[in-house]
Amino acid sequence: MKILPDILQNLIQEMKKLPGVGGKSSTRLAFYLLESSPEQRERLTKALQAVDKIHWCLRCFFVAEDELCEICKDMARDGSLLCIVEKPADVIAIEKAGRYVGRYHVLHGLLSPLEGVRPEDLKIPALLKRVEEEKPGEIIFALSPTLEGEMTLQYLTEQLKKSESKLSRLARGVPFGANLEFTDEMTMSKAFEGRQPL
Amino acid sequence: MKILPDILQNLIQEMKKLPGVGGKSSTRLAFYLLESSPEQRERLTKALQAVDKIHWCLRCFFVAEDELCEICKDMARDGSLLCIVEKPADVIAIEKAGRYVGRYHVLHGLLSPLEGVRPEDLKIPALLKRVEEEKPGEIIFALSPTLEGEMTLQYLTEQLKKSESKLSRLARGVPFGANLEFTDEMTMSKAFEGRQPL
């Protein structure tokens, strides 16, 4: 039996589309919004509408309000280092670690023959052109070590091997804080391969 | 260092206000919304704006699009049963169980001397008036067995003892599917008190 107004049912449906929001939490979120003040809902609505003004940086395809993003505009960044990532959120994760001082190139996806994602569907043509123009000293691949990540890495190293840039990838190994007992075989074997002298 | 556009930072802040959304998931939600289509964002925005049209049922204070909610409009409901709940979401939880066929009264909160919540801040005056007018055969309290819930229950039973309605409360006991070993002392002792003959 239908007991909720269509309007509320509709909000629950929209909430359910958000990542990590299931049936119960979509109802909870909808009721929370219903019981919050009209002002608070308007702030959220306005914040959502403003997103239309954000676009991708013309150079690295990270998020930007202007033509270039804050990272590309920052002259203190080391332009000889170029880090290749899958998505904008990866840039945030790397920046949080605070270890990397170079620039980025966001692919906006990974190659996937299964899902029909080809190089021209990603920011790969732009990357190849950029490398040719900027000639970075080192290109660091920071792609997830998944099937698609490895495939994309392989394709790009093939395409870029003629460039003069040094190519590298993030180290694979046992993550900080992990329990060795529960480390999977693949991670364990990569950690042995990449073992470091003391 | 600021690397995100203010617009995105603002959306992350708004997302963080939602219940159950922490620092990491607010960023994740904001990026998800950023990467979703303008049409999908507009659907969500519209759904949020439409919430302004929802109000509380004039009779039971559950959510309603018209003057009365779907439950109050439903003539097949047993008008001799009145169930008192704290918030609209509790009605949904009870309806999902499908066992109750009567009507509701939503208090929109619980009494709390600590937070300064008095009877007149809740839908308690309306409840007392309603009971006088409708004279339900039974009033069932379905309030959370917390300090505030018990205090509200105590206040209301005191106020309603002059009415001709039978007063009852939901059974307290070991929840379905629970592991007896990890049941807390309070629940366990209530379960013994309320033990049922076989």
Side-chain angles (χ1 to χ4, degrees):
Chain A
M1 206 211 63
K2 172 196 172 285
I3 55 163
L4 287 181
D6 290 337
I7 289 173
L8 198 56
Q9 203 65 63
N10 184 33
L11 182 61
I12 294 173
Q13 287 309 319
E14 289 300 323
M15 286 286 145
K16 214 180 269 177
K17 290 179 192 162
L18 299 176
V21 177
K24 269 201 178 171
S25 53
S26 62
T27 306
R28 189 164 153 237
L29 283 172
F31 272 104
Y32 170 84
L33 290 165
L34 175 66
E35 287 172 75
S36 61
S37 69
E39 292 72 37
Q40 198 185 329
R41 282 201 299 275
E42 208 188 321
R43 273 197 300 276
L44 180 55
T45 310
K46 286 240 170 82
L48 269 165
Q49 285 170 329
V51 169
D52 288 341
K53 285 186 213 141
I54 293 181
H55 52 248
W56 310 129
C57 170
L58 290 183
R59 190 173 171 200
C60 78
F61 304 98
F62 184 53
V63 287
E65 232 161 330
D66 308 315
E67 287 208 345
L68 293 183
C69 73
E70 297 300 319
I71 296 173
C72 281
K73 279 194 280 188
D74 183 358
M75 284 305 139
R77 287 274 175 167
D78 185 347
S80 74
L81 295 173
L82 185 62
C83 178
I84 316 288
V85 297
E86 177 192 346
K87 50 190 191 297
D90 298 336
V91 173
I92 310 287
I94 294 171
E95 286 297 303
K96 266 200 187 131
R99 168 71 181 67
Y100 179 69
V101 293
R103 301 192 187 277
Y104 294 91
H105 192 92
V106 184
L107 297 178
H108 284 272
L110 294 171
L111 294 177
S112 169
L114 269 173
E115 292 181 39
V117 184
R118 299 155 307 166
E120 54 270 37
D121 299 322
L122 307 176
K123 305 302 182 194
I124 285 181
L127 169 65
L128 301 179
K129 194 159 160 271
R130 189 177 167 194
V131 168
E132 218 169 277
E133 285 169 9
E134 296 183 13
K135 301 190 199 321
E138 181 173 356
I139 299 173
I140 305 164
F141 291 95
L143 303 174
S144 299
T146 59
L147 193 64
E148 278 90 3
E150 295 297 318
M151 209 179 305
T152 309
L153 176 71
Q154 208 175 336
Y155 176 84
L156 287 175
T157 44
E158 185 63 31
Q159 296 291 311
L160 291 168
K161 72 178 177 194
K162 291 153 285 178
S163 77
E164 280 156 43
S165 308
K166 211 171 89 183
L167 304 182
S168 64
R169 66 178 294 164
L170 291 191
R172 286 167 297 173
V174 185
F176 189 75
N179 188 330
L180 210 71
E181 180 183 351
F182 303 119
T183 299
D184 67 281
E185 298 90 335
M186 197 63 175
T187 301
M188 194 64 99
S189 79
K190 290 294 174 193
F192 269 92
E193 274 176 41
R195 67 190 182 277
Q196 289 163 331
L198 293 169
Chain B
M1 207 212 63
K2 173 195 172 285
I3 55 163
L4 287 181
D6 290 337
I7 291 174
L8 198 56
Q9 203 66 60
N10 184 33
L11 182 61
I12 293 174
Q13 287 308 320
E14 288 301 322
M15 286 286 143
K16 216 180 265 177
K17 292 178 191 164
L18 299 176
V21 177
K24 267 201 180 173
S25 53
S26 62
T27 306
R28 188 164 153 237
L29 283 172
F31 271 104
Y32 171 83
L33 290 165
L34 175 67
E35 287 173 76
S36 61
S37 69
E39 292 72 36
Q40 198 186 327
R41 282 201 299 274
E42 208 188 323
R43 273 196 299 275
L44 180 55
T45 309
K46 286 239 168 84
L48 270 165
Q49 285 169 329
V51 169
D52 289 339
K53 286 187 213 143
I54 294 181
H55 50 249
W56 309 129
C57 170
L58 289 183
R59 192 174 171 199
C60 78
F61 304 97
F62 183 54
V63 286
E65 228 161 333
D66 309 316
E67 288 207 343
L68 293 182
C69 72
E70 297 300 319
I71 296 173
C72 282
K73 281 195 279 186
D74 183 358
M75 286 304 141
R77 287 273 174 165
D78 185 347
S80 74
L81 295 173
L82 185 61
C83 179
I84 317 289
V85 297
E86 175 192 347
K87 51 190 191 296
D90 298 337
V91 173
I92 310 285
I94 295 171
E95 287 297 302
K96 267 203 187 132
R99 169 68 182 70
Y100 179 70
V101 294
R103 298 191 190 279
Y104 294 92
H105 192 90
V106 184
L107 298 178
H108 285 273
L110 294 171
L111 293 177
S112 169
L114 270 173
E115 293 181 39
V117 184
R118 300 155 306 165
E120 54 270 37
D121 298 322
L122 307 177
K123 305 302 180 192
I124 285 181
L127 170 65
L128 300 178
K129 192 158 162 271
R130 189 177 168 195
V131 168
E132 219 169 274
E133 286 169 7
E134 295 183 14
K135 301 191 199 317
E138 182 174 357
I139 298 174
I140 304 164
F141 291 95
L143 304 175
S144 299
T146 57
L147 192 64
E148 278 91 3
E150 294 298 317
M151 209 179 304
T152 309
L153 175 71
Q154 209 176 331
Y155 176 84
L156 287 175
T157 45
E158 185 63 31
Q159 295 292 312
L160 291 168
K161 70 179 178 196
K162 295 151 282 180
S163 78
E164 281 156 42
S165 308
K166 210 172 90 184
L167 304 181
S168 65
R169 66 177 295 166
L170 291 191
R172 286 168 297 173
V174 185
F176 189 74
N179 188 331
L180 211 70
E181 180 183 350
F182 303 120
T183 299
D184 67 282
E185 298 89 335
M186 197 63 176
T187 302
M188 193 65 100
S189 79
K190 290 296 173 192
F192 267 92
E193 275 177 38
R195 67 191 181 279
Q196 288 162 333
L198 292 168

